[in-house]
Every structure is written in structure tokens, then in C-alpha cells.
């Protein structure tokens, strides 16, 4: 469910007309719905009924300070993937003490920064990393809290580039080596074991791999709890969202109309499958959702530059490009694209929807059907809140797009469009070329 809907002919985010946002702040611009984020958060928090749940929002999915403050106000902790993300939490007024630090290659400087800020735990991905964290903690004279990421070797049945829980992936310590890794950690005197973690992949649309992974882990987690006094089990993130019917899925009626076997994953189904498996462990359960919380809470607004009618196909050329939203080019991801002003009297158009960047990969959709739209009109990419703005680049010397947050009838620019001066600020011509 989300808060993007047409009022009359015009697409709104909550009570705000998106055409008005584009008029004020230009395009391409990401727009986020604060109410959708809050709804998603509360729904997920209530899904594991009876368990002590801590949500650590995966910052990597959308990391502007406004979104982070919103999560901090909701009571979330954070799942960090770098020192930069940690500094964002601090800048946004979030709580590092309820946050966890993930990643296969944390540097000594990042480990130090996290310890100085009182991180809840490092999610450790390898034996050499245990040694490194122990070393840095020793230098600071503190004990570093850790949880080991275990790779349960489960097929998440998602895109190859975002699956993480197979033994072929670079992540975690294999299940059969995990007990030994905990023994090794217990012997390192500057470490303090706090928990255990898994994360099997992203955009999972079926509950089965989650349940399979947890089932595989439960005996080990119980054993580790007895041996090392664990406080928590983090089951990672990964819950998928609706991309194909993104706009319609904002309405309860759409969900009710889906036959049970076709109904996408929901927090309630996730909770119903996992709660009975997790409850006997008697541990706090951490969740590290990114996409589920923000994915359907954001759209990317773009303007039509031209409708180019070719010999064999039409091209709808937008002012947004693969540098603004890379998911279609990178993962062949589908994003629904809708007109901001809907007009049922218009003819339908079938076109490739493309950006202005000089490569054929700069294509958002092939043979997409939508209402005919012309130069200067606006379209919105639905479900663009997660892994949208954060993955933007400056390719073709295009500034990073703006971000706006909406709450009810209020909206504010929360991240200004990057200027040319900002893009080149760190560059210079060396003396030997002058
Ligand atoms: N925890 C860990 C350790 C992760 O690596 C990730 C995501 C998450 C949690 C959050 O997963 P989520 O709930 O968002 O699925 N750029 C890709 C997705 C990469 C996901 C990376 N890890 C995309 O656009 O689809």
C-alpha cells in the first residue's frame, strides 16, 4: 500500500500534486511519501507478533538525511554499509547504538569510527575480519561487539546480482564453519559476541527461501546462544515489493483481487511463516529491510523531451537517464511508468522509453504501452524509492537529481539538484599541462 494516486486526472503524492513539485524544483526529481514510509515501518514492526523486534533500516537503499531522520523519529536503528553511512546517521540525529555495521571489507578507519560512536555490533563476514576488529578494539582499549554473518547456502530465487546467500557468493561464513568461527571469536579478548546474522538476497518475492534459511539456522543459533550468550538473531532484509502493478498496488482493492497463489509477499505472510520458527529461540530479532520500507514510497519524476517516431519503433526521450535510475540498465529491472496528467481521451502509444545518454543501455523500457505524451509533459517512475537516487552517477556530466519529501499537503526540497560547479569542485588541470 502507498500514497501515490490520481486526484481527478493528476497524480498526487499524499495531498500534493506532483506537477506542482516539478514546476518548483524541475526534473528529474525523486519524490518520497513520508506517510508511506511510516505505514510500511509500522506494518513490518507488527508482523512478527509476540517477538521482540528491532528494525535496522538498510540505509543503502535510500540515504538522504530527511529519510534517515524520519526513520530515527519512528524509532528505527540502522544497517550501515560504510563509514559514510555511519556519518549520515550521526548527521541525521539517528542512534548509532542501535545500529549494525555490515560489509565484507570494513577498513580500520571505519571500524575505529564505529567503535567511537558506540555501534551495537559489527556483522562480521570472515575470520580475517574478526582479527582486524579485535586489533582495532585493542588499540582503543574497548571490547568490540560482533555478530557473525552466516551463509546458509539457500537459493533466494532472485536476480543473480542481488542474491547473497549461496555458497558461491562472497558473503558470510559457511554454516558448517560457523561454530568454529564463534569459538575463534570467543578467544579474541577484545571481542564481545552479541548475535548472529543472515541475509540471503534482495527483492525476494516468495516466502519459501526466507523460511528455508531460518530453518537451516535455528539449530546453530540455539547452540550458539547456549555457548556464547547471544542477544539477537538478525534475519537480514530482502522482502520484495510490487514493480509491475506498482500504482494499482497502492490500493487495498488490488491486493484483495490477487488470487492467493499470485499474491506478492506481505509482512503478514513473512511474520506468519517466520514467527513460529523464531519464537522458541527466545532472542531479539533484528530485521534489516531497505526496499520494503522505501521502495514504493518514492517515484522519479521526469519530463518528456521528444516523442521520436522511428521507422520501426517509437522512442520516448526523457530528461531522466540511466545515471538517475540505473536499475533497468543494470538488472533489467521493470519500473512502471505513468503519466502525471492522465487523459483517457488520448491514444495509446507503444514506445521504447529512453534517456538522453549516448549509449543504447540508456533504456528504461522496451515496447512499453502508455498514454500518448508529448514534449514537456511529465511522467513518473513508480517504485523508485529504493536503490534509485543512491545509485545515481554523474555519467555524461549530469548532476545528481533533486529529492523532495512530502507529508500530507506539505513538501520540501530535501536534497538540491547538483550543480555543474559542484560536479567539478574537486577537479583541476595539473601544472604540467598548463
Ligand atoms: N542487509 C544487508 C546485509 C544487505 O546487503 C542488504 C542489501 C539489505 C540488508 C537490504 O536488503 P533489501 O531489504 O533492500 O532487499 N541495488 C540492488 C539491491 C542491492 C541490495 C544490497 N543489499 C537493486 O537495485 O535491486
Amino acid at each position: 500500500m502507498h500514497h501515490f494516486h490520481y486526484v481527478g486526472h493528476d497524480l498526487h503524492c499524499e495531498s500534493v500534486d506532483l506537477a506542482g513539485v516539478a514546476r518548483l524544483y524541475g526534473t528529474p526529481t525523486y519524490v518520497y511519501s513520508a506517510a508511506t514510509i511510516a505505514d510500511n515501518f509500522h506494518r513490518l514492526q507488527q508482523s512478527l507478533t509476540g517477538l521482540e523486534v528491532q528494525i535496522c533500516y538498510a540505509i543503502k537503499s535510500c540515504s538522504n538525511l530527511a529519510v534517515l531522520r524520519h526513520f530515527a523519529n519512528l524509532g528505527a536503528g540502522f544497517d550501515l554499509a560504510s563509514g559514510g553511512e555511519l556519518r549520515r546517521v550521526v548527521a541525521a540525529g539517528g542512534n548509532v547504538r542501535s545500529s549494525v555495521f555490515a560489509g565484507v571489507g570494513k577498513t580500520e578507519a571505519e571500524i575505529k569510527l564505529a567503535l567511537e560512536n558506540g555501534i551495537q555490533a559489527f556483522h562480521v563476514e570472515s575470520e580475517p575480519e574478526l582479527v582486524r576488529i579485535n586489533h582495532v578494539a585493542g588499540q582503543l582499549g574497548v571490547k568490540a561487539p560482533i555478530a557473525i554473518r552466516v551463509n546458509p547456502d539457500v537459493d533466494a530465487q532472485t536476480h543473480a546480482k542481488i542474491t547473497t546467500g549461496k555458497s558461491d557468493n562472497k558473503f558470510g561464513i559457511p554454516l558448517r564453519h560457523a561454530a568454529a568461527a564463534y569459538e575463534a571469536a570467543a578467544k579474541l579478548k577484545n571481542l564481545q559476541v552479541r548475535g548472529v546474522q543472515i541475509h540471503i538476497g534482495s527483492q525476494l518475492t516468495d516466502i519459501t527461501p526466507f523460511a528455508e534459511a531460518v530453518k537451516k539456522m535455528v539449530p546453530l543459533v540455539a547452540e550458539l546462544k547456549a555457548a556464547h550468550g547471544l542477544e539477537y538473531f538478525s534475519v537480514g532484509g530482502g522482502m520484495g515489493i510490487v514493480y509491475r502493478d506498482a500504482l494499482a498496488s497502492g490500493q487495498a482493492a488490488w491486493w484483495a483481487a490477487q488470487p492467493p497463489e499470485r499474491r506478492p509477499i506481505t509482512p503478514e505472510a513473512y511474520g506468519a511463516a517466520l514467527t513460529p520458527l523464531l519464537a522458541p529461540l527466545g532472542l531479539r530479532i533484528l530485521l534489516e529491510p531497505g526496499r520494503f520500507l522505501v521502495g514504493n514510497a518514492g517515484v522519479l519524476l521526469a519530463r518528456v523531451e521528444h516523442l521520436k517516431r522511428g521507422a520501426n519503433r517509437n522512442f520516448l526521450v526523457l530528461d531522466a537517464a540511466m545515471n538517475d535510475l540505473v536499475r533497468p540498465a543494470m538488472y533489467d529491472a521493470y519500473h512502471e511508468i505513468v503519466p502525471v496528467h492522465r487523459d483517457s481521451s488520448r491514444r495509446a502509444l507503444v514506445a521504447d522509453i529512453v534517456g538522453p545518454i549516448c549509449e543504447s543501455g540508456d533504456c528504461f523500457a522496451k515496447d512499453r504501452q502508455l498514454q500518448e505524451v508529448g514534449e514537456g509533459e511529465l511522467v513518473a517512475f513508480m517504485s523508485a524509492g529504493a536503490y534509485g537516487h543512491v545509485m545515481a552517477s554523474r555519467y555524461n556530466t549530469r548532476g545528481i537529481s533533486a529529492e523532495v519529501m512530502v507529508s500530507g499537503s506539505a513538501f520540501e526540497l530535501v536534497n538540491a539538484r547538483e550543480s555543474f560547479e559542484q560536479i567539478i569542485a574537486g577537479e583541476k588541470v595539473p601544472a604540467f599541462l598548463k
Side-chain angles (χ1 to χ4, degrees), residues 234-246:
S234 174
V235 294
M239 199 190 303
I241 60 164
V242 176
Y243 281 102
R244 229 153 247 282
D245 277 343

Side-chain angles (χ1 to χ4, degrees), residues 16-34:
V16 171
D17 183 350
L18 288 173
V21 174
R23 237 187 336 269
L24 258 179
Y25 300 120
T27 50
T29 291
Y30 281 87
V31 183
Y32 306 101
S33 155

Side-chain angles (χ1 to χ4, degrees), residues 58 60 79 162 199 202 237-238 288-291 327 331 387 391:
K60 60 171 79 77
D79 170 43
I162 52 175
H199 171 72
S202 196
E288 303 165 15
R291 191 188 316 260
R327 302 192 69 260
Y331 312 113
Y387 307 108
M391 294 182 76

Side-chain angles (χ1 to χ4, degrees), residues 25-93:
Y25 300 120
T27 50
T29 291
Y30 281 87
V31 183
Y32 306 101
S33 155
T36 306
I37 291 175
D39 287 356
N40 290 342
F41 182 84
H42 290 130
R43 210 173 145 198
L44 189 60
Q45 202 172 36
Q46 284 152 21
S47 66
L48 299 169
T49 340
L51 300 186
E52 189 193 342
V53 174
Q54 184 188 359
I55 295 185
C56 288
Y57 166 61
I59 296 188
K60 60 171 79 77
S61 57
C62 182
S63 64
N64 67 63
L65 297 188
V67 163
L68 298 189
R69 170 61 73 92
H70 189 28
F71 278 114
N73 291 348
L74 289 166
F78 299 93
D79 170 43
L80 319 168
S82 72
E85 288 191 349
L86 189 147
R87 296 183 66 182
R88 280 187 175 277
V89 169
V90 174

